Amino acid sequence: AAAAAAGASSSDDTAAAAAAAAAERGADGSTSSAKRADVTFFGAMLWARNVSGTRVLTSGKQQTVAGITFADYGCHISGYPHPYITAAAALGATKEDVDVFVKRLVRAYRELRKKWAKAAAGPAAASAGEKQ
């Protein structure tokens, strides 16, 4: 099972992740709030699939706490150029627990890629598909 799950990180998935991250950034390197919301929706997709302990982080959120302003609040470093995901694991987690996590992660990511592909194709492509 682990080998099958590991196969999900193929060059196609890696290339798709890189393309998605590149598309996430504007020409000036910034990330729009609409795009950040779309990427962070991945965290909601995981939660809906009973995957807890994950966070999807993007740059661009500024927060002031006790008079100190943090750029890219919630991220591990300011100015990181791509959205990323963190995952927590508890002591006592088994190999089977990790295998289930990876399967759900890959399944949700594939669904998100389909959503992005459908959105990129636009309404014309969607209506052309309905006519066939």
Side-chain angles (χ1 to χ4, degrees):
S9 60
S10 69
S11 61
D12 289 343
D13 285 341
T14 303
E24 177 65 20
R25 297 257 168 225
D28 63 352
S30 66
T31 306
S32 73
S33 60
K35 294 236 183 206
R36 279 196 311 271
D38 192 45
V39 170
T40 57
F41 177 69
F42 184 57
M45 291 175 71
L46 291 170
W47 180 259
R49 288 153 184 80
N50 295 319
V51 177
S52 60
T54 60
R55 284 186 18 176
V56 177
L57 300 150
T58 62
S59 60
K61 181 179 178 186
Q62 187 171 329
Q63 179 80 28
T64 301
V65 177
I68 301 169
T69 301
F70 296 91
D72 300 335
Y73 184 76
C75 294
H76 291 87
I77 187 170
S78 294
Y80 191 73
H82 307 288
Y84 64 96
I85 185 171
T86 63
L91 291 174
T94 65
K95 180 184 178 306
E96 290 76 22
D97 294 332
V98 174
D99 289 344
V100 168
F101 164 76
V102 170
K103 285 179 185 178
R104 291 178 184 177
L105 177 73
V106 168
R107 187 177 310 132
Y109 180 66
R110 286 181 179 154
E111 289 176 26
L112 183 63
R113 283 180 46 200
K114 286 179 186 175
K115 176 182 181 267
W116 285 344
K118 186 176 180 180
S127 61
E130 291 172 5
K131 292 177 183 176
Q132 293 178 359

